Each structure stands twice: as C-alpha cells, then as structure tokens.
Amino acid sequence: MILPGFPAQTIFITNHFNPLYINAMKQTFLIGQIRIIRVRGENRHDFLNRMTTNDLRNPGQKEVIPTLMTTDKGRVIDLLWYLERNNEGWLITSPGMSDIVYERLDRFLFPLDQAELILEETVHDLTISINQPAHQTHQWCENEGQVAWSVNDWFPGGEMRLSPAFLQEDEPLSEHEFHLLRIRNGTPWTQFEMNGEYHVQELGLLWAVDFSKGCYPGQEVVARIYNYEKNQRQAVLLHWKNAGEHGSPAELITDGKPAGVMTSVLKTDDGHIGFGLVRERVIVSGGELSLLGGDGTKIPMIYQPFPIRHPRGINKKASF
C-alpha cells in the first residue's frame, strides 16, 4: 500500500523484497567517507567468523558477504561488507564507523589468532547508485579504480561503490532525497537505527545472519529470539500530516501506553515520514498509533509494516 504523501514524480520499481521509489533524474548519492579495515593472516577468516554474524570461513572468489557487528545483547552496532582482494580481507564499514569497528575487533585480537588488522590511513568515498545492479548479486567487480557490489538485500535496487575519489556520473541525490528513499524503503542507517540500541530482528537484518555457525558476541540472544519467535517489535513506515518540527528518537503510543519508538524522521511537502519500531501486538490488532509531541499532544499517525526479510537457508533452527 502506498501511503499518502508519496510524490507522484517517482518511478515505481518492484523486486523480490520491497517496492523502491526512485527519483527519475538523480540516482547517485555520496554516503560518506570510510577507511578500509584490511585483515591479513592465515586465520583471518576464523577470527572474523567469531566476531560477526555471518559465516566468513570460506568466502568465494569475488564474493561479497554482508555481516553484522553486534553487542553482547544482540543489538546492531554496524552492517559490514566483507570481500577478499589481493590475498587479504577487506571490511567495509558504514561512514563514521571505521574507527569504532576497528577498535572493537582489535580488543578481541590475540597473538594466537594469527591475524592482523590494519586500518588504512587513506580515505575512500562510499557512494550508492540507486538502480538495478547490472552484475551478479553477492559478487564484486572492479572498474577504473572503483570496487562495486550489489546491496540489494539492504537497499533493494542499490549498488555500492568504493573509490579513492567520488566520480560524479549523474547529478547526485541530496542528503534529504537519499534519506527519503531509504526511510520509505525500510533501510536502517548508522547512528539512527544501527547504533547498538536495537536488535537484529526488529531492524529486519536477519539476511546478514548465518544460524548454523558458531558463537559471536550476542549470538545466544539473536538465536533465542529467532528460535522462540520472541521478537517484540517490527519496523514500520510512518506518515503524518502535522507541520511542526519533530526529532528522533521519539516515543510512539497507543491507548496512552508505550507502543514503540520512531528512530528516523524527515519532513516532506505535506507532513513527515519516519522509520519506526512498533510492538507487534499493536500491528496485529490494527491499533491506532500516535506520536507524543513535545507539548504532550498526541499526533495521529498512519503506519505500514515493512516486508520481513528472512535469513538465507530459512526454516532451520538456530544453534546456541
């Protein structure tokens, strides 16, 4: 269902996960800058495998593996992309997260691990191209100094590009346009959703988890929630007409009781949209949802759950 307020001048594209609204003229956005974390040593795969959620023990040639760094309570710190290049591993973090991820990995690295972490001094631009990827999903390719790969699981229809300098092929999306797309698409973002506060399941990131592998920080919590279907909240798209100013995070209520949290908010031509995490019992019952304004007023909201993105190898119980 398309909620009120979606601009008419968009192309409607569907794929196997979720509708994606794409501006017809602007398709490239400079997400930010990162420093690559290079991982060397014969046991680098085993080390990274026990530090993140996906199976990194045997990466294929030119394969890109999405994986999560989580807290001991199974809450997402960052979404990482791992690839092998020139006989070493590359970890691609979100913008602003390179130092945080490196320091957390380094804290758990010991001489017996036979692995080495190197945080590059060189800064790289990370861009996303909002179109249907031409190359095979989960494979990276290289062209004129750029490394590119599909991020279709995370941002349907998107292709990530890593380059020493931003090569502006199209008129770039503004920051407002990019976040408009990613909120409407249900894509969690660093600092707003991926900040160590919210669980893997409620952010819809199970596709970056392998439930057959061994331990990693937070593994028992992630497995328990999945096995016993204990997820309490689901990601939703929020929309309301109020013209005031709103910040995030902000509490969501139903019948005067806490119902969830709005993690991202963006002003539009006819109101606001937001990324919210709402209790499943409210969604199942079709309960009314409101945002509690700064002056205590209740602002009615329309909400639409995002499609649930299941893990690969679905329908097998997680190991503890």
Short mmCIF file of all heavy atoms in Angstrom, two decimals, residues 145-195:
data_model
loop_
_atom_site.label_atom_id
_atom_site.label_comp_id
_atom_site.label_asym_id
_atom_site.label_seq_id
_atom_site.Cartn_x
_atom_site.Cartn_y
_atom_site.Cartn_z
N GLY A 145 39.33 1.70 -11.02
CA GLY A 145 39.66 2.06 -9.64
C GLY A 145 38.50 1.97 -8.67
O GLY A 145 38.69 2.15 -7.46
N GLN A 146 37.30 1.70 -9.15
CA GLN A 146 36.13 1.57 -8.28
C GLN A 146 35.83 0.09 -8.03
O GLN A 146 35.88 -0.72 -8.96
CB GLN A 146 34.90 2.20 -8.91
CG GLN A 146 34.94 3.71 -9.00
CD GLN A 146 33.59 4.25 -9.41
OE1 GLN A 146 32.77 4.63 -8.59
NE2 GLN A 146 33.34 4.27 -10.70
N VAL A 147 35.52 -0.25 -6.79
CA VAL A 147 35.02 -1.57 -6.45
C VAL A 147 33.52 -1.42 -6.19
O VAL A 147 33.10 -0.58 -5.40
CB VAL A 147 35.73 -2.14 -5.21
CG1 VAL A 147 35.11 -3.48 -4.80
CG2 VAL A 147 37.22 -2.31 -5.48
N ALA A 148 32.71 -2.23 -6.88
CA ALA A 148 31.26 -2.10 -6.78
C ALA A 148 30.63 -3.45 -6.48
O ALA A 148 31.13 -4.50 -6.89
CB ALA A 148 30.70 -1.53 -8.08
N TRP A 149 29.52 -3.43 -5.74
CA TRP A 149 28.79 -4.66 -5.44
C TRP A 149 27.33 -4.33 -5.15
O TRP A 149 26.98 -3.22 -4.77
CB TRP A 149 29.42 -5.40 -4.26
CG TRP A 149 29.34 -4.68 -2.94
CD1 TRP A 149 28.41 -4.85 -1.95
CD2 TRP A 149 30.24 -3.67 -2.46
NE1 TRP A 149 28.67 -4.02 -0.90
CE2 TRP A 149 29.79 -3.28 -1.18
CE3 TRP A 149 31.38 -3.06 -2.99
CZ2 TRP A 149 30.44 -2.31 -0.42
CZ3 TRP A 149 32.02 -2.09 -2.23
CH2 TRP A 149 31.56 -1.72 -0.97
N SER A 150 26.48 -5.33 -5.35
CA SER A 150 25.05 -5.16 -5.10
C SER A 150 24.79 -5.13 -3.60
O SER A 150 25.37 -5.90 -2.83
CB SER A 150 24.27 -6.31 -5.73
OG SER A 150 22.94 -6.33 -5.26
N VAL A 151 23.88 -4.24 -3.18
CA VAL A 151 23.41 -4.22 -1.79
C VAL A 151 21.90 -4.42 -1.78
O VAL A 151 21.16 -3.80 -1.03
CB VAL A 151 23.81 -2.90 -1.08
CG1 VAL A 151 25.31 -2.84 -0.86
CG2 VAL A 151 23.34 -1.67 -1.88
N ASN A 152 21.45 -5.31 -2.65
CA ASN A 152 20.02 -5.49 -2.89
C ASN A 152 19.27 -5.95 -1.64
O ASN A 152 18.10 -5.62 -1.46
CB ASN A 152 19.82 -6.50 -4.02
CG ASN A 152 18.46 -6.37 -4.67
OD1 ASN A 152 18.10 -5.29 -5.13
ND2 ASN A 152 17.70 -7.45 -4.70
N ASP A 153 19.92 -6.72 -0.77
CA ASP A 153 19.25 -7.16 0.46
C ASP A 153 18.97 -5.98 1.39
O ASP A 153 17.95 -5.93 2.06
CB ASP A 153 20.12 -8.18 1.21
CG ASP A 153 20.19 -9.51 0.48
OD1 ASP A 153 19.15 -9.94 -0.04
OD2 ASP A 153 21.27 -10.11 0.44
N TRP A 154 19.90 -5.06 1.44
CA TRP A 154 19.82 -3.94 2.38
C TRP A 154 19.06 -2.76 1.78
O TRP A 154 18.23 -2.13 2.44
CB TRP A 154 21.24 -3.52 2.75
CG TRP A 154 21.37 -2.30 3.60
CD1 TRP A 154 20.97 -2.15 4.89
CD2 TRP A 154 21.96 -1.06 3.21
NE1 TRP A 154 21.28 -0.88 5.34
CE2 TRP A 154 21.89 -0.20 4.32
CE3 TRP A 154 22.56 -0.61 2.03
CZ2 TRP A 154 22.39 1.10 4.29
CZ3 TRP A 154 23.06 0.68 2.00
CH2 TRP A 154 22.97 1.51 3.13
N PHE A 155 19.34 -2.45 0.52
CA PHE A 155 18.71 -1.34 -0.18
C PHE A 155 18.30 -1.85 -1.55
O PHE A 155 19.06 -1.74 -2.51
CB PHE A 155 19.68 -0.17 -0.32
CG PHE A 155 19.02 1.17 -0.51
CD1 PHE A 155 19.37 2.24 0.28
CD2 PHE A 155 18.04 1.37 -1.47
CE1 PHE A 155 18.78 3.49 0.11
CE2 PHE A 155 17.44 2.59 -1.65
CZ PHE A 155 17.81 3.66 -0.85
N PRO A 156 17.12 -2.49 -1.66
CA PRO A 156 16.72 -3.10 -2.93
C PRO A 156 16.90 -2.16 -4.12
O PRO A 156 16.48 -1.02 -4.11
CB PRO A 156 15.23 -3.41 -2.69
CG PRO A 156 15.16 -3.67 -1.23
CD PRO A 156 16.11 -2.68 -0.61
N GLY A 157 17.58 -2.69 -5.14
CA GLY A 157 17.86 -1.89 -6.32
C GLY A 157 19.13 -1.07 -6.21
O GLY A 157 19.45 -0.31 -7.12
N GLY A 158 19.89 -1.24 -5.12
CA GLY A 158 21.07 -0.40 -4.89
C GLY A 158 22.37 -1.11 -5.21
O GLY A 158 22.49 -2.32 -5.10
N GLU A 159 23.35 -0.31 -5.61
CA GLU A 159 24.71 -0.80 -5.84
C GLU A 159 25.67 0.12 -5.11
O GLU A 159 25.63 1.34 -5.26
CB GLU A 159 25.03 -0.79 -7.34
CG GLU A 159 26.44 -1.24 -7.66
CD GLU A 159 26.75 -1.13 -9.14
OE1 GLU A 159 27.15 -0.04 -9.59
OE2 GLU A 159 26.57 -2.14 -9.85
N MET A 160 26.53 -0.45 -4.27
CA MET A 160 27.52 0.32 -3.53
C MET A 160 28.80 0.42 -4.33
O MET A 160 29.20 -0.52 -5.02
CB MET A 160 27.81 -0.36 -2.19
CG MET A 160 28.44 0.56 -1.17
SD MET A 160 27.21 1.57 -0.32
CE MET A 160 26.67 0.41 0.94
N ARG A 161 29.45 1.58 -4.23
CA ARG A 161 30.72 1.80 -4.93
C ARG A 161 31.74 2.39 -3.97
O ARG A 161 31.44 3.31 -3.22
CB ARG A 161 30.53 2.76 -6.11
CG ARG A 161 29.53 2.30 -7.16
CD ARG A 161 29.36 3.35 -8.24
NE ARG A 161 28.26 3.03 -9.14
CZ ARG A 161 27.84 3.81 -10.12
NH1 ARG A 161 28.45 4.98 -10.33
NH2 ARG A 161 26.83 3.46 -10.89
N LEU A 162 32.94 1.83 -4.01
CA LEU A 162 34.05 2.30 -3.19
C LEU A 162 35.13 2.82 -4.12
O LEU A 162 35.58 2.11 -5.02
CB LEU A 162 34.59 1.15 -2.34
CG LEU A 162 35.72 1.48 -1.37
CD1 LEU A 162 35.20 2.31 -0.20
CD2 LEU A 162 36.35 0.19 -0.85
N SER A 163 35.53 4.07 -3.92
CA SER A 163 36.52 4.65 -4.84
C SER A 163 37.40 5.65 -4.10
O SER A 163 36.99 6.24 -3.10
CB SER A 163 35.81 5.35 -6.01
OG SER A 163 34.97 6.38 -5.53
N PRO A 164 38.64 5.86 -4.60
CA PRO A 164 39.53 6.85 -3.98
C PRO A 164 38.96 8.26 -4.07
O PRO A 164 39.25 9.10 -3.24
CB PRO A 164 40.81 6.72 -4.80
CG PRO A 164 40.74 5.36 -5.42
CD PRO A 164 39.29 5.11 -5.67
N ALA A 165 38.18 8.54 -5.09
CA ALA A 165 37.57 9.86 -5.24
C ALA A 165 36.19 9.68 -5.85
O ALA A 165 35.96 8.78 -6.65
CB ALA A 165 38.43 10.74 -6.14
N PHE A 166 35.28 10.53 -5.48
CA PHE A 166 33.91 10.43 -5.96
C PHE A 166 33.86 10.78 -7.45
O PHE A 166 34.19 11.88 -7.86
CB PHE A 166 33.01 11.37 -5.17
CG PHE A 166 31.57 11.36 -5.60
CD1 PHE A 166 30.92 10.16 -5.86
CD2 PHE A 166 30.87 12.54 -5.75
CE1 PHE A 166 29.60 10.15 -6.26
CE2 PHE A 166 29.55 12.54 -6.14
CZ PHE A 166 28.90 11.34 -6.40
N LEU A 167 33.43 9.80 -8.25
CA LEU A 167 33.30 10.01 -9.68
C LEU A 167 31.84 10.33 -9.98
O LEU A 167 30.98 9.46 -9.95
CB LEU A 167 33.74 8.75 -10.45
CG LEU A 167 35.16 8.27 -10.13
CD1 LEU A 167 35.47 7.01 -10.90
CD2 LEU A 167 36.17 9.36 -10.46
N GLN A 168 31.56 11.57 -10.24
CA GLN A 168 30.18 12.02 -10.38
C GLN A 168 29.68 11.76 -11.79
O GLN A 168 29.89 12.53 -12.71
CB GLN A 168 30.08 13.51 -10.04
CG GLN A 168 28.65 14.02 -9.98
CD GLN A 168 28.58 15.40 -9.38
OE1 GLN A 168 29.16 15.67 -8.35
NE2 GLN A 168 27.87 16.29 -10.04
N GLU A 169 28.97 10.64 -11.95
CA GLU A 169 28.44 10.28 -13.26
C GLU A 169 27.06 10.89 -13.49
O GLU A 169 26.69 11.20 -14.61
CB GLU A 169 28.35 8.75 -13.37
CG GLU A 169 29.71 8.07 -13.24
CD GLU A 169 29.59 6.57 -13.23
OE1 GLU A 169 28.45 6.07 -13.23
OE2 GLU A 169 30.62 5.89 -13.23
N ASP A 170 26.29 11.02 -12.44
CA ASP A 170 24.96 11.61 -12.52
C ASP A 170 24.89 12.77 -11.53
O ASP A 170 25.75 12.92 -10.67
CB ASP A 170 23.88 10.58 -12.16
CG ASP A 170 23.95 9.35 -13.04
OD1 ASP A 170 23.90 9.52 -14.27
OD2 ASP A 170 24.05 8.25 -12.50
N GLU A 171 23.86 13.57 -11.67
CA GLU A 171 23.64 14.59 -10.65
C GLU A 171 23.31 13.87 -9.35
O GLU A 171 22.38 13.07 -9.30
CB GLU A 171 22.48 15.50 -11.05
CG GLU A 171 22.25 16.64 -10.08
CD GLU A 171 21.10 17.52 -10.50
OE1 GLU A 171 20.51 17.27 -11.56
OE2 GLU A 171 20.78 18.44 -9.75
N PRO A 172 24.08 14.09 -8.28
CA PRO A 172 23.89 13.28 -7.07
C PRO A 172 22.62 13.63 -6.33
O PRO A 172 22.12 14.75 -6.37
CB PRO A 172 25.12 13.63 -6.23
CG PRO A 172 25.51 15.00 -6.69
CD PRO A 172 25.17 15.06 -8.15
N LEU A 173 22.10 12.62 -5.64
CA LEU A 173 20.98 12.84 -4.74
C LEU A 173 21.43 13.72 -3.58
O LEU A 173 22.56 13.60 -3.10
CB LEU A 173 20.49 11.51 -4.17
CG LEU A 173 19.76 10.53 -5.09
CD1 LEU A 173 19.74 9.16 -4.46
CD2 LEU A 173 18.36 11.01 -5.36
N SER A 174 20.55 14.59 -3.13
CA SER A 174 20.85 15.35 -1.92
C SER A 174 20.69 14.43 -0.72
O SER A 174 20.10 13.34 -0.81
CB SER A 174 19.89 16.54 -1.80
OG SER A 174 18.58 16.07 -1.53
N GLU A 175 21.20 14.86 0.43
CA GLU A 175 21.06 14.05 1.64
C GLU A 175 19.59 13.84 1.98
O GLU A 175 19.18 12.75 2.39
CB GLU A 175 21.77 14.74 2.80
CG GLU A 175 21.80 13.91 4.08
CD GLU A 175 22.66 14.53 5.15
OE1 GLU A 175 23.17 15.65 4.94
OE2 GLU A 175 22.82 13.89 6.20
N HIS A 176 18.77 14.87 1.79
CA HIS A 176 17.34 14.76 2.06
C HIS A 176 16.69 13.73 1.14
O HIS A 176 15.90 12.88 1.58
CB HIS A 176 16.67 16.12 1.88
CG HIS A 176 15.21 16.13 2.22
ND1 HIS A 176 14.23 15.75 1.32
CD2 HIS A 176 14.55 16.45 3.37
CE1 HIS A 176 13.05 15.85 1.89
NE2 HIS A 176 13.21 16.27 3.13
N GLU A 177 17.04 13.75 -0.15
CA GLU A 177 16.46 12.80 -1.10
C GLU A 177 16.87 11.37 -0.78
O GLU A 177 16.07 10.44 -0.87
CB GLU A 177 16.90 13.16 -2.53
CG GLU A 177 16.24 14.41 -3.07
CD GLU A 177 16.86 14.84 -4.39
OE1 GLU A 177 18.10 14.86 -4.50
OE2 GLU A 177 16.09 15.16 -5.31
N PHE A 178 18.14 11.19 -0.40
CA PHE A 178 18.61 9.85 -0.07
C PHE A 178 17.86 9.29 1.13
O PHE A 178 17.39 8.15 1.11
CB PHE A 178 20.11 9.85 0.21
CG PHE A 178 20.60 8.54 0.76
CD1 PHE A 178 20.72 7.43 -0.06
CD2 PHE A 178 20.92 8.41 2.10
CE1 PHE A 178 21.15 6.21 0.44
CE2 PHE A 178 21.35 7.20 2.62
CZ PHE A 178 21.47 6.10 1.78
N HIS A 179 17.76 10.07 2.20
CA HIS A 179 17.08 9.57 3.40
C HIS A 179 15.59 9.40 3.16
O HIS A 179 14.95 8.56 3.79
CB HIS A 179 17.37 10.48 4.59
CG HIS A 179 18.75 10.29 5.15
ND1 HIS A 179 19.11 9.16 5.85
CD2 HIS A 179 19.86 11.06 5.07
CE1 HIS A 179 20.38 9.25 6.21
NE2 HIS A 179 20.86 10.39 5.74
N LEU A 180 15.02 10.18 2.25
CA LEU A 180 13.63 9.98 1.87
C LEU A 180 13.46 8.59 1.26
O LEU A 180 12.53 7.85 1.59
CB LEU A 180 13.22 11.06 0.86
CG LEU A 180 11.73 11.24 0.58
CD1 LEU A 180 11.00 11.76 1.80
CD2 LEU A 180 11.53 12.20 -0.59
N LEU A 181 14.38 8.22 0.37
CA LEU A 181 14.33 6.90 -0.26
C LEU A 181 14.57 5.78 0.75
O LEU A 181 13.85 4.79 0.78
CB LEU A 181 15.37 6.81 -1.37
CG LEU A 181 15.11 7.61 -2.64
CD1 LEU A 181 16.31 7.51 -3.57
CD2 LEU A 181 13.86 7.12 -3.34
N ARG A 182 15.59 5.94 1.57
CA ARG A 182 15.95 4.82 2.45
C ARG A 182 14.92 4.62 3.56
O ARG A 182 14.65 3.48 3.95
CB ARG A 182 17.37 4.99 2.98
CG ARG A 182 17.61 6.06 4.02
CD ARG A 182 17.65 5.47 5.41
NE ARG A 182 17.78 6.50 6.42
CZ ARG A 182 17.47 6.31 7.68
NH1 ARG A 182 17.02 5.14 8.11
NH2 ARG A 182 17.60 7.29 8.55
N ILE A 183 14.27 5.69 4.06
CA ILE A 183 13.21 5.52 5.05
C ILE A 183 12.01 4.83 4.42
O ILE A 183 11.44 3.90 4.98
CB ILE A 183 12.81 6.88 5.67
CG1 ILE A 183 13.94 7.41 6.56
CG2 ILE A 183 11.53 6.74 6.48
CD1 ILE A 183 13.70 8.81 7.09
N ARG A 184 11.62 5.28 3.23
CA ARG A 184 10.48 4.66 2.55
C ARG A 184 10.76 3.20 2.21
O ARG A 184 9.85 2.39 2.09
CB ARG A 184 10.15 5.43 1.27
CG ARG A 184 9.44 6.75 1.55
CD ARG A 184 9.24 7.53 0.29
NE ARG A 184 8.40 8.70 0.54
CZ ARG A 184 8.33 9.74 -0.26
NH1 ARG A 184 9.04 9.77 -1.36
NH2 ARG A 184 7.55 10.76 0.04
N ASN A 185 12.02 2.87 2.06
CA ASN A 185 12.40 1.52 1.67
C ASN A 185 12.68 0.62 2.87
O ASN A 185 12.97 -0.55 2.71
CB ASN A 185 13.65 1.60 0.78
CG ASN A 185 13.84 0.35 -0.03
OD1 ASN A 185 12.90 -0.14 -0.64
ND2 ASN A 185 15.04 -0.19 -0.02
N GLY A 186 12.63 1.17 4.08
CA GLY A 186 12.86 0.36 5.27
C GLY A 186 14.31 0.00 5.49
O GLY A 186 14.61 -1.05 6.07
N THR A 187 15.23 0.86 5.06
CA THR A 187 16.66 0.60 5.19
C THR A 187 17.19 1.25 6.46
O THR A 187 17.22 2.47 6.57
CB THR A 187 17.42 1.16 3.97
OG1 THR A 187 16.98 0.47 2.79
CG2 THR A 187 18.92 0.95 4.13
N PRO A 188 17.63 0.45 7.45
CA PRO A 188 18.20 1.03 8.68
C PRO A 188 19.53 1.70 8.40
O PRO A 188 20.28 1.28 7.52
CB PRO A 188 18.37 -0.19 9.60
CG PRO A 188 18.47 -1.36 8.68
CD PRO A 188 17.63 -1.02 7.48
N TRP A 189 19.82 2.74 9.17
CA TRP A 189 21.01 3.55 8.91
C TRP A 189 21.81 3.73 10.18
O TRP A 189 21.28 3.79 11.28
CB TRP A 189 20.57 4.91 8.36
CG TRP A 189 21.70 5.73 7.81
CD1 TRP A 189 22.19 6.89 8.32
CD2 TRP A 189 22.47 5.45 6.64
NE1 TRP A 189 23.22 7.36 7.54
CE2 TRP A 189 23.42 6.49 6.50
CE3 TRP A 189 22.47 4.42 5.70
CZ2 TRP A 189 24.35 6.52 5.47
CZ3 TRP A 189 23.38 4.46 4.67
CH2 TRP A 189 24.30 5.50 4.56
N THR A 190 23.13 3.83 10.00
CA THR A 190 24.01 4.03 11.13
C THR A 190 23.64 5.31 11.88
O THR A 190 23.18 6.28 11.29
CB THR A 190 25.48 4.11 10.65
OG1 THR A 190 26.33 4.30 11.77
CG2 THR A 190 25.70 5.26 9.69
N GLN A 191 23.82 5.29 13.18
CA GLN A 191 23.52 6.37 14.12
C GLN A 191 22.03 6.48 14.43
O GLN A 191 21.67 6.81 15.56
CB GLN A 191 24.04 7.72 13.63
CG GLN A 191 25.55 7.75 13.43
CD GLN A 191 26.04 9.06 12.87
OE1 GLN A 191 25.31 10.04 12.81
NE2 GLN A 191 27.30 9.10 12.44
N PHE A 192 21.17 6.21 13.47
CA PHE A 192 19.74 6.28 13.73
C PHE A 192 19.20 4.93 14.21
O PHE A 192 18.58 4.83 15.26
CB PHE A 192 18.98 6.72 12.47
CG PHE A 192 19.31 8.12 12.04
CD1 PHE A 192 20.17 8.34 10.98
CD2 PHE A 192 18.76 9.21 12.69
CE1 PHE A 192 20.48 9.63 10.57
CE2 PHE A 192 19.07 10.50 12.30
CZ PHE A 192 19.93 10.71 11.24
N GLU A 193 19.41 3.88 13.41
CA GLU A 193 18.93 2.55 13.76
C GLU A 193 20.06 1.60 14.17
O GLU A 193 19.91 0.81 15.09
CB GLU A 193 18.14 1.94 12.60
CG GLU A 193 16.79 2.57 12.35
CD GLU A 193 16.85 3.85 11.53
OE1 GLU A 193 17.73 3.97 10.65
OE2 GLU A 193 16.01 4.75 11.78
N MET A 194 21.18 1.66 13.46
CA MET A 194 22.31 0.78 13.77
C MET A 194 23.27 1.52 14.71
O MET A 194 24.30 2.05 14.30
CB MET A 194 23.01 0.33 12.48
CG MET A 194 22.12 -0.51 11.58
SD MET A 194 22.97 -1.24 10.16
CE MET A 194 23.43 0.22 9.22
N ASN A 195 22.90 1.54 15.98
CA ASN A 195 23.66 2.32 16.96
C ASN A 195 23.85 1.57 18.28
O ASN A 195 24.14 2.18 19.30
CB ASN A 195 22.96 3.65 17.22
CG ASN A 195 21.51 3.47 17.64
OD1 ASN A 195 21.07 2.36 17.95
ND2 ASN A 195 20.75 4.56 17.65
#
